Amino acid sequence: MGRAPCCDKASVKRGPWSPEEDAKLKAYIDENGNGGNWIALPQKIGLKRCGKSCRLRWLNYLRPNIRHGGFSEEEDNIICTLYISIGSKWSIIAAQLPGRTDNDIKNHWNTKLKKKLLGKQRKEHHARRATCLSFNQEMKRESENYTVPGTVNQAAHWPLLPPPVMPQDPIKNLLVKLGGRFSDLHPQASPTAKNPMNFQYPLDFPFSQDQPYENSMNMFSSAPSSLSPLNSTCSKVTDGITHFNVNDVDGPNDVFQGLDGFQAELSELIYSNNQQILDEFDGFYGTDNMVDGTSTGTSSVESRSWGDINSLLYPQILSVFEACRQQSIPQVSNYEESSYFGPQ
DNA sequence: AACACAAGCAACCGCCCACAG
DNA sequence: GCTGTGGGCGGTTGCTTGTGT
């Protein structure tokens, strides 16, 4: 059985708000607050609106100090970086951008940033793929020309490229270069029912080398290096706005559990959280043989529904794999770290 | 000028969660 | 512990405006 609707849809007005309605709502809330009850509020002030609609209107439009449109490059960067790290947690992202609402950010992402990044990602993907395909052809030619004496030429049965080996120091170096930080000291945190925000990702925010981010996101830069926003806790207070605090709730959190831990963590992250990373490499290698050399055969509708976006979610990880590839296949040397948020 | 299409944005929908009773 | 209710959130819809043909 579904729950009862919060209001009688037949008797409430829907659609765009009139200036009069706005004025009524604003005047009342300015004077009295919402009284802790949005559902009852419209009746009190004689608005034929759903309480939820009033709340939305207030939070997204009438609330003081709201800014609309005109997103700066810096704000774009923050949104993109947070999206890449935590996904579509618009309220969390909005909490880092004063004056912005989750709805605004969501719209901005859907209409502009997503396309912008997708376009960039596609370009890079195609460039990488072109490089790889030509390399594959080269490898194939060489393998066809070479037969170990006394053996059968098995080139046709082997993957064109060996599975990437995980070189440890190069990964660490690359992550550091990307702005990640290492800590081998503390146990790994993970989301819990109590602390769903207590994520642990293998990479700290890459802000540490970017001064512009430090200005606008000093909550991150001022936090201990082992803390990322993903270890933050969120708390809701009664002003109708969610507030997020950087608190180390479960004791110090680890970024990497040493290199062995990191390697396992990276693998786990990739396999459990993001099949699309594998798909990305699938596309990259032009074969179904993936990291472990086995065919995943995964190409589900769901995963594709995330589409290319997912390849954006962990550019650092992709970079790591590219570094791996570069390490294990030094012939492909034209790899360059891509700048995701730099000028196009 | 008229139409089609795309982009932007406000608002709605429905699910989930916290909390009071 | 259970249930009902309101608040919060992410996803989606549909209207408006802009642009191209």
Side-chain angles (χ1 to χ4, degrees):
Chain A
M1 190 179 79
R3 54 173 300 180
C6 65
C7 57
D8 179 11
K9 286 186 168 53
S11 64
V12 298
K13 186 183 169 194
R14 298 168 68 186
W17 280 65
S18 69
E20 292 77 24
E21 288 176 312
D22 281 346
K24 259 189 189 175
L25 182 61
K26 190 169 190 318
Y28 183 85
I29 294 180
D30 280 346
E31 187 131 341
N32 309 292
N34 73 329
N37 190 339
W38 286 106
I39 301 298
L41 188 143
Q43 272 195 327
K44 277 186 198 167
I45 58 178
L47 276 180
K48 288 186 178 351
R49 288 279 181 176
C50 171
K52 280 190 170 189
S53 182
C54 293
R55 174 185 161 270
L56 216 57
R57 185 66 181 169
W58 169 255
L59 290 179
N60 289 337
Y61 202 81
L62 299 175
R63 191 156 49 103
N65 304 321
I66 290 288
R67 289 183 294 148
H68 290 284
F71 281 82
S72 68
E73 192 74 18
E74 192 174 331
E75 285 176 312
D76 285 355
N77 289 344
I78 292 169
I79 294 167
C80 290
T81 307
L82 286 171
Y83 185 93
I84 283 162
S85 295
I86 62 177
S88 57
K89 305 290 178 195
W90 304 118
S91 57
I92 296 174
I93 296 172
Q96 313 310 325
L97 299 172
R100 299 294 186 187
T101 69
D102 54 354
N103 207 37
D104 237 14
I105 292 170
K106 181 170 58 181
N107 283 334
H108 184 57
W109 168 263
N110 283 331
T111 57
K112 294 200 181 116
L113 296 181
K114 188 160 74 176
K115 290 167 191 167
K116 186 175 163 186
L117 284 179
L118 273 177
K120 183 173 287 193
Q121 174 70 8
R122 285 216 175 90
K123 263 193 227 164
E124 289 169 358
H125 177 91
H126 289 145
R128 287 199 304 265
R129 191 180 177 113
T131 301
C132 189
L133 286 175
S134 65
F135 172 72
N136 282 349
Q137 287 166 359
E138 184 68 23
M139 285 287 287
K140 193 175 182 181
R141 264 203 306 278
E142 286 184 12
S143 63
E144 281 169 357
N145 292 337
Y146 175 74
T147 304
V148 177
T151 65
V152 177
N153 185 347
Q154 297 183 3
H157 306 290
W158 292 348
L160 291 178
L161 291 175
V165 177
M166 291 289 209
Q168 296 185 340
D169 286 345
I171 291 177
K172 184 172 181 175
N173 291 341
L174 180 64
L175 291 176
V176 169
K177 198 175 169 186
L178 285 168
R181 297 176 178 132
F182 286 85
S183 165
D184 298 344
L185 301 175
H186 309 302
Q188 180 182 1
S190 59
T192 63
K194 192 182 168 192
N195 279 312
M197 290 304 299
N198 195 27
F199 292 111
Q200 183 64 58
Y201 280 60
L203 188 64
D204 251 349
F205 264 44
F207 289 153
S208 55
Q209 296 172 342
D210 296 324
Q211 285 303 320
Y213 292 149
E214 293 207 2
N215 295 336
S216 61
M217 304 187 73
N218 54 7
M219 62 169 280
F220 298 151
S221 58
S222 63
S225 65
S226 62
L227 283 175
S228 77
L230 306 173
N231 297 334
S232 309
T233 57
C234 62
S235 60
K236 294 173 183 176
V237 293
T238 55
D239 60 359
I241 304 167
T242 305
H243 296 257
F244 297 89
N245 303 311
V246 177
N247 291 322
D248 197 1
V249 290
D250 284 341
N253 292 317
D254 176 46
V255 175
F256 295 106
Q257 290 181 287
L259 290 177
D260 289 344
F262 162 59
Q263 195 168 335
E265 191 178 348
L266 179 61
S267 301
E268 186 184 343
L269 174 74
I270 291 164
Y271 279 104
S272 65
N273 290 353
N274 212 297
Q275 181 63 39
Q276 273 57 54
I277 291 175
L278 301 182
D279 290 347
E280 177 76 11
F281 274 83
D282 192 352
F284 181 78
Y285 278 131
T287 168
D288 281 345
N289 294 315
M290 299 312 299
V291 175
D292 64 358
T294 61
S295 176
T296 63
T298 302
S299 183
S300 68
V301 172
E302 305 86 48
S303 63
R304 288 300 177 194
S305 74
W306 268 87
D308 291 337
I309 258 307
N310 245 315
S311 61
L312 299 174
L313 289 180
Y314 302 96
Q316 300 96 331
I317 302 295
L318 293 176
S319 299
V320 167
F321 270 98
E322 293 201 11
C324 296
R325 181 174 61 82
Q326 190 181 17
Q327 176 81 5
S328 59
I329 311 162
Q331 293 94 327
V332 183
S333 57
N334 61 346
Y335 161 76
E336 290 180 2
E337 287 175 52
S338 57
S339 168
Y340 266 78
F341 308 121
Q344 291 194 52

